[in-house]
Amino acid sequence: SAVISQKPSRDICQRGTSLTIQCQVDSQVTMMFWYRQQPGQSLTLIATANQGSEATYESGFVIDKFPISRPNLTFSTLTVSNMSPEDSSIYLCSVPGRGPLGLHEQYFGPGTRLTVT
Amino acid sequence: DQQVKQNSPSLSVQEGRISILNCDYTNSMFDYFLWYKKYPAEGPTFLISISSIKDKNEDGRFTVFLNKSAKHLSLHIVPSQPGDSAVYFCAATRSIYNQGGKLIFGQGTELSVKP
């Protein structure tokens, strides 16, 4: 399985500010994914980040709010811009697995717990 | 529109007994189903999966059952151990998402296994 780290592990931010979350993988991967888990809710896919191309955003998520960078095959960042309390969530990155299900079996980072006051 | 639902937010089981976690889905086009386990302050960990062409998949103490007609799947843990205490997420996807990535998750069920 892939080893994934995220920074910061948690943060408390003021509304109106932005936070950039880093995701580092121990091996080269073509795709990286960013998820959000709001309090008491399920994990929701924000976007897919491919190296060398623009990220693909899911319905309800826009690039201006969640800009993503993917400078190389082991690293990605997600920025939560102009934050409001509704952005308080756990943000997780993941990469495709290498098991029998391949891409469907994803490995997740430990998450970044964001609180917006 | 919650396409994957876990209607039990919590479950408490005695050590050594069976734990049964349930999941319902609405989209008949899903063809892969997965279970993840999540400990506090950690990311979800892949546990077991099943393809829609099967009705059962077993891996040690963990068995997943799929009932396509009822759009229902369940995870059985036998025997349950205190270390199994965690939040369990059911997830579903479609093979046409050939780029991968679009896992649809349920809300999770918190399992507590008491010694």
Side-chain angles (χ1 to χ4, degrees), chain A residues 11 16 31 39 62 70 77 99:
Chain A
D11 207 342
M31 286 184 289
V62 295
R70 186 76 205 278
T77 67

Side-chain angles (χ1 to χ4, degrees), chain B residues 2-23:
Chain B
Q2 189 70 29
Q3 297 187 67
V4 179
K5 295 181 182 179
Q6 294 175 257
N7 292 316
S8 298
S10 63
L11 175 68
S12 183
V13 173
Q14 206 67 32
E15 181 179 5
R17 305 294 290 270
I18 184 172
S19 294
I20 300 177
L21 297 98
N22 294 303
C23 178

Side-chain angles (χ1 to χ4, degrees), chain A:
Chain A
S1 63
V3 177
I4 305 170
S5 61
Q6 287 185 233
K7 289 182 181 179
S9 58
R10 59 177 59 229
D11 207 342
I12 301 173
C13 301
Q14 301 233 342
R15 69 176 67 204
T17 63
S18 298
L19 176 72
T20 295
I21 302 168
Q22 300 178 5
C23 179
Q24 179 76 51
V25 189
D26 68 339
S27 58
Q28 293 185 339
V29 292
T30 305
M31 286 184 289
M32 295 177 75
F33 312 110
W34 286 98
Y35 285 81
R36 178 177 75 179
Q37 185 186 12
Q38 293 178 300
Q41 304 296 314
S42 58
L43 284 77
T44 302
L45 181 64
I46 298 171
T48 301
N50 294 316
Q51 197 272 334
S53 63
E54 292 288 328
T56 303
Y57 289 82
E58 295 299 309
S59 175
F61 298 96
V62 295
I63 187 171
D64 289 346
K65 176 67 176 178
F66 298 101
I68 288 171
S69 77
R70 186 76 205 278
N72 58 55
L73 291 173
T74 64
F75 187 80
S76 177
T77 67
L78 170 78
T79 298
V80 186
S81 303
N82 188 24
M83 289 183 284
S84 66
E86 292 71 35
D87 294 319
S88 297
S89 298
I90 299 174
Y91 292 86
L92 303 108
C93 66
S94 71
V95 301
R98 306 183 188 117
L101 288 190
L103 296 177
H104 301 310
E105 176 190 317
Q106 295 178 24
Y107 297 106
F108 285 83
T112 295
R113 183 179 292 273
L114 170 62
T115 302
V116 183
T117 60

